Amino acid sequence: MTIFDLYEKISPNGQCTETLPVGMILLIERSFKMIYSREVEEMCPVAQGVNHGAAPIPEEAKWVQAKEVKDISGLTHGIGWCAPQQGACKLTLNVKEGIIQEALVETIGCSGMTHSAAMASEILPGRTVLEALNTDLVCDAINTAMRELFLQIVYGRSQSAFSEDGLPIGAGLEDLGKGLRSQVGTVRHTEKRPPLSGDGRGLCYRNCSGRRGSDHWLSVCKPWKDDRLHQKRR
C-alpha cells in the first residue's frame, strides 16, 4: 500500500474513515512532519560548524575565497600530451577575473599540432576558464594541457600567485626569449655517427665523440649554419 492509498482513507477534516494499523499512522505522520529521535531533539546546535566557506587560495598576492568563475585570476603554464604520447604541448594562460586574456600555445613532436595550435590560440582568448575546459581545442595534447592548467589555477598554484596585481597581458612572451621563438632543443645520436644537436636559434653543433678507456666523452665544436653543415656532409 502506497502513501496515496492511505490518503484516500482520510476524510477532508483529517479524520480517518477506518481503523489503520499503528505503522500506517506513523507513516502518515511522517509524511506531514519529520519525526526526530530524543537524542536528536536534545542535541545542542553549533553556531557555524564546518560551514567556513571556500578555502582561500593565493591569487596575485591576495587570498581569495573563489566561489565563482570571475574570482579566478593568474598566469600559469603547464604541459599536456596526447594519448599515443607522440606530441606534447606547453600552454600558457593569463587569466583576469575568470576570462582568458592571453594564450600561448607551443607544440612539439607532431606535424598536425601546428594547425591545432593556431586554432586553439584563436579559440581560447575571451573565454572563461570553465568554457575553455569544456571546449574541444582540436588536439588532445592541448586539451590535456588545458586540464592541467585549470587544476593549477583553481587550486591557487599559478605562477603569479604571489605577484602583486598579477602579470600584465603579454607576459607569456617572456618565456620565448628575445627571438620570440619557442625554446626547443634537438639531439640525435646513432652508434655509427656522432650526435647532432640544435638549439632554438637554428644553429647546429657537431659533437665530437671519442673514447677514454671505457667512458664516452663529447665536446662541442664550432657552430655551423644548417646549410653549411649539409654541404659539408654531402
Side-chain angles (χ1 to χ4, degrees):
M1 181 179 294
T2 64
I3 190 65
F4 300 103
D5 298 331
L6 295 176
Y7 286 155
E8 293 178 356
K9 297 183 179 181
I10 302 177
S11 60
N13 59 2
Q15 300 295 328
C16 293
T17 58
E18 62 180 82
T19 304
L20 299 175
V22 177
M24 291 185 180
I25 296 175
L26 293 176
L27 182 60
I28 295 174
E29 290 180 355
R30 288 172 180 168
S31 66
F32 293 103
K33 180 182 178 181
M34 185 64 64
I35 299 176
Y36 297 95
S37 64
R38 179 180 177 183
E39 290 78 6
V40 175
E41 292 287 353
E42 294 178 353
M43 286 183 179
C44 179
V46 181
Q48 186 175 15
V50 296
N51 186 20
H52 297 287
I57 59 176
E59 290 183 9
E60 299 181 345
K62 298 186 296 289
W63 291 94
V64 180
Q65 284 186 316
K67 299 179 181 179
E68 300 178 11
V69 177
K70 63 184 179 69
D71 297 331
I72 302 298
S73 296
L75 182 141
T76 188
H77 48 238
I79 300 296
W81 57 94
C82 58
Q85 296 189 11
Q86 72 178 44
C89 167
K90 177 186 175 184
L91 181 61
T92 304
L93 298 180
N94 198 347
V95 181
K96 301 292 185 182
E97 296 181 352
I99 299 177
I100 299 174
Q101 301 291 346
E102 177 188 10
L104 172 63
V105 187
E106 302 173 78
T107 58
I108 186 174
C110 176
S111 59
M113 297 176 68
T114 54
H115 187 201
S116 302
M119 298 178 67
S121 63
E122 296 181 5
I123 294 172
L124 288 172
R127 295 180 181 268
T128 66
V129 289
L130 188 58
E131 286 179 319
L133 180 66
N134 293 318
T135 300
D136 183 14
L137 301 177
V138 187
C139 176
D140 191 28
I142 305 177
N143 288 324
T144 305
M146 184 63 230
R147 181 195 68 194
E148 299 299 320
L149 261 67
F150 181 84
L151 295 177
Q152 292 182 23
I153 294 173
V154 298
Y155 285 120
R157 270 65 175 179
S158 62
Q159 305 297 319
S160 60
F162 300 100
S163 301
E164 189 173 358
D165 296 330
L167 297 175
I169 309 302
L173 295 177
E174 295 179 2
D175 288 342
L176 300 181
K178 184 178 180 180
L180 298 181
R181 292 294 180 271
S182 299
Q183 305 299 310
V184 179
T186 304
V187 177
R188 183 199 59 84
H189 193 182
T190 62
E191 187 67 25
K192 185 176 181 180
R193 295 291 183 182
L196 176 67
S197 65
D199 60 10
R201 296 173 295 173
L203 299 178
C204 289
Y205 297 85
R206 183 186 64 180
N207 292 349
C208 307
S209 62
R211 290 179 179 271
R212 287 182 177 176
S214 59
D215 298 327
H216 292 271
W217 59 277
L218 303 176
S219 61
V220 181
C221 300
K222 180 179 178 180
W224 291 344
K225 291 286 186 180
D226 288 347
D227 54 348
R228 292 181 58 188
L229 180 61
H230 293 322
Q231 292 175 5
K232 184 72 175 181
R233 289 200 168 186
R234 290 174 187 171

